[in-house]
């Protein structure tokens, strides 16, 4: 790789220093680690500044404003699923509750923010009690965090679809799939097996959705609302809109999937309420879960190596903790949970 052709400063530094580090140059290694640390700190600083900018733009917004209240409520959706309060965006309870009611239920849940890797979900849990009491500043802060975090995820997801066009059958199918829930909400199809749906292209679906008359502001599912907002542009062949919709759909789908899994894990955890690490059998099960995580993370090569079998759960956990892995960057749910815990 030619470092002069690389825009990403962290990658460029790694390429430039790789040869030196390969020869055992400790100074080059220190330089790379320092560069990586500075890059992460700079990214975090920019993110904080963007959140502050968005929050300032929301000054004066209150929960009496239906549009703002709806966005506040949307910002708690994944947290509500993770807490096991609702099953998803189509849960009838979700449709009928206000932002303050959602915040009250969330604040009363036993979901621990420190055990949650999704920063948007964690922020919702931390601010729920204040929002439930009508604190507009807390509501503005939550929306700002959610907007910035969500857009960051969408931008990352969109990179995968760079250059994709609706002439590509696989991408066309993904765009179409991103509109299915909206098509059902608009009463245009009965479901995924509706003959009309099966014969449509993405642009056909977008055209029908754009002409449906369904008001996005009356829709509680943010993924459905995004499909309605972008339908007209997609129907006209706007590829950026198509890529944006697929990315939004993917981010929402993955976030809700992780939240549902979290809720299922919390339910299963109740059955283990009386188990403790002093119980040899439970300690061994915990250790085995940690060893699987260490193996998945590439920290150990063989979880059955005798060196690891003599470890306790606490020792295996310390080994994983000391690796310094970022759970928010991990897709595997078992590994992510092990790193978090």
């Amino acid at each position: 790789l030619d470092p002069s052709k690389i825009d990403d400063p962290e990658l460029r530094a790694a390429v430039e220093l790789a040869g030196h580090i390969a020869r055992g140059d400790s100074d080059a290694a220190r330089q790379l680690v320092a560069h990586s640390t500075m890059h992460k700190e700079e990214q975090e600083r920019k993110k904080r500044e963007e959140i502050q900018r968005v929050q300032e733009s929301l000054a004066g917004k209150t929960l009496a404003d239906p549009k703002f209240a709806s966005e506040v409520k949307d910002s708690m959706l994944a947290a509500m699923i993770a807490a096991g309060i609702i099953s998803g965006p189509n849960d009838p309870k979700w449709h009928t509750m206000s932002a303050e009611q959602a915040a009250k239920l969330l604040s009363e849940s036993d979901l621990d923010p420190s055990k949650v890797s999704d920063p948007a979900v964690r922020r919702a849990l931390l601010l729920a009690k204040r929002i439930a009491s009508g604190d507009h500043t807390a509501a503005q802060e939550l929306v700002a965090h959610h907007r910035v975090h969500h857009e960051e995820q969408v931008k990352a997801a969109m990179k995968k679809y760079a250059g994709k066009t609706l002439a590509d059958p696989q991408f066309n199918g993904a765009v179409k799939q991103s509109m299915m829930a909206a098509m059902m909400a608009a009463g245009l199809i009965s479901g995924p097996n509706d003959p009309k749906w099966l014969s449509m292209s993405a642009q056909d679906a977008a055209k029908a959705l754009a002409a449906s008359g369904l008001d996005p502001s009356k829709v509680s599912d943010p993924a459905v609302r995004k499909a309605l907002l972008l339908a007209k542009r997609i129907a006209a062949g706007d590829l950026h809109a198509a890529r944006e919709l697929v990315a939004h759909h993917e981010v929402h789908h993955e976030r809700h999937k992780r939240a549902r899994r979290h809720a299922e894990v919390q339910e299963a955890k109740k059955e283990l309420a009386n188990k403790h690490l002093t119980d040899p059998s439970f300690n061994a099960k915990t250790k085995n879960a940690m060893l699987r995580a260490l193996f998945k993370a590439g920290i150990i090569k063989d979880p059955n190596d005798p060196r690891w079998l003599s470890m306790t759960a606490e020792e295996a956990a310390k080994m994983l903790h000391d690796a310094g892995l970022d759970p928010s960057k991990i897709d595997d749910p078992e590994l992510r949970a092990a790193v978090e815990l």
Side-chain angles (χ1 to χ4, degrees):
L1 298 173
D2 180 355
S4 68
K5 300 290 195 298
I6 299 172
D7 293 328
D8 185 293
E10 191 173 26
L11 175 57
R12 185 169 60 249
V15 171
E16 288 172 344
L17 295 168
H20 297 281
I21 295 170
R23 292 191 293 273
D25 186 334
S26 296
D27 186 64
R30 287 190 289 269
Q31 186 176 337
L32 179 61
V33 171
H35 197 285
S36 178
T37 301
M38 287 179 62
H39 178 71
K40 287 177 182 175
E41 289 175 352
E42 177 68 10
Q43 293 298 102
E44 285 302 312
R45 183 187 64 76
K46 286 181 178 177
K47 189 172 181 178
R48 286 194 300 271
E49 287 178 352
E50 179 62 10
I51 289 170
Q52 184 64 32
R53 185 194 66 76
V54 174
Q55 189 170 344
E56 288 172 358
S57 75
L58 296 169
K61 294 287 185 182
T62 73
L63 292 164
D65 175 344
K67 189 174 180 181
F68 178 67
S70 176
E71 191 171 2
V72 174
K73 184 179 165 184
D74 282 351
S75 302
M76 291 184 278
L77 176 56
M80 293 285 284
I81 297 170
I85 299 168
I86 58 170
S87 59
N90 296 318
D91 190 314
K93 288 183 292 185
W94 178 247
H95 291 173
T96 57
M97 67 177 69
S98 67
E100 292 99 320
Q101 289 168 334
K104 185 174 187 296
L105 290 169
L106 197 55
S107 68
E108 293 169 350
S109 76
D110 56 4
L111 189 55
D112 182 352
S114 69
K115 302 292 193 296
V116 178
S117 61
D118 187 320
V121 171
R122 189 163 58 245
R123 184 61 55 174
L125 288 164
L126 291 169
L127 293 172
K129 189 173 182 179
R130 289 170 56 195
I131 294 170
S133 66
D135 186 329
H136 302 308
T137 303
Q140 292 160 11
E141 182 181 342
L142 177 60
V143 169
H145 272 270
H146 186 266
R147 279 190 194 177
V148 172
H149 181 64
H150 182 71
E151 286 307 313
E152 182 180 65
Q153 289 183 309
V154 169
K155 283 179 183 177
M158 281 184 75
K159 289 178 181 177
K160 294 188 291 185
Y161 302 108
K164 295 288 185 181
T165 72
L166 292 167
D168 176 341
Q170 190 173 1
F171 180 65
N172 193 296
V175 176
K176 179 181 166 182
Q177 186 65 29
S178 302
M179 290 184 277
M180 187 176 74
M183 293 285 286
M184 291 171 65
L188 298 170
I189 58 169
S190 58
N193 297 317
D194 189 314
K196 288 184 292 183
W197 175 248
L198 296 175
S199 64
M200 282 180 167
S201 68
Q203 281 180 279
D204 292 334
K207 186 177 179 182
L209 197 56
S212 70
L214 184 58
D215 184 352
S217 68
K218 301 293 192 294
V219 176
S220 60
D221 185 333
V224 169
R225 189 161 58 247
K226 180 59 69 171
L228 288 164
L229 291 169
L230 293 174
K232 188 174 181 180
R233 288 169 56 194
I234 295 169
D238 186 328
L239 295 176
H240 182 82
R243 293 169 192 147
E244 184 181 347
L245 178 61
V246 173
H248 270 276
H249 179 79
E250 181 181 304
V251 168
H252 281 296
H253 177 76
E254 288 302 316
R255 182 179 296 149
H256 297 166
K257 182 180 174 182
R258 285 198 302 270
R260 278 189 289 272
R261 179 178 172 80
H262 193 97
E264 289 165 4
V265 168
Q266 294 307 304
E267 194 60 33
K269 181 182 166 185
K270 292 176 183 177
E271 298 175 14
L272 302 169
N274 297 318
K275 296 291 184 181
H276 301 280
L277 288 169
T278 51
D279 174 345
S281 174
F282 182 63
N283 192 294
K285 287 180 180 178
T286 306
K287 179 188 76 173
N288 289 337
M290 282 293 167
L291 289 176
R292 284 197 302 274
L294 286 162
F295 175 69
K296 286 182 176 183
I299 298 167
I300 63 174
K301 301 301 179 188
D302 179 6
N304 296 312
D305 188 311
R307 289 178 298 171
W308 314 131
L309 297 180
S310 62
M311 295 176 83
T312 64
E314 294 92 332
E315 288 168 338
K318 185 177 186 303
M319 192 175 178
L320 185 60
H321 174 73
D322 289 347
L325 300 175
D326 181 354
S328 68
K329 302 291 193 298
I330 299 171
D331 292 328
D332 185 292
E334 188 177 29
L335 176 55
R336 185 171 60 247
V339 171
E340 287 172 347
L341 299 171

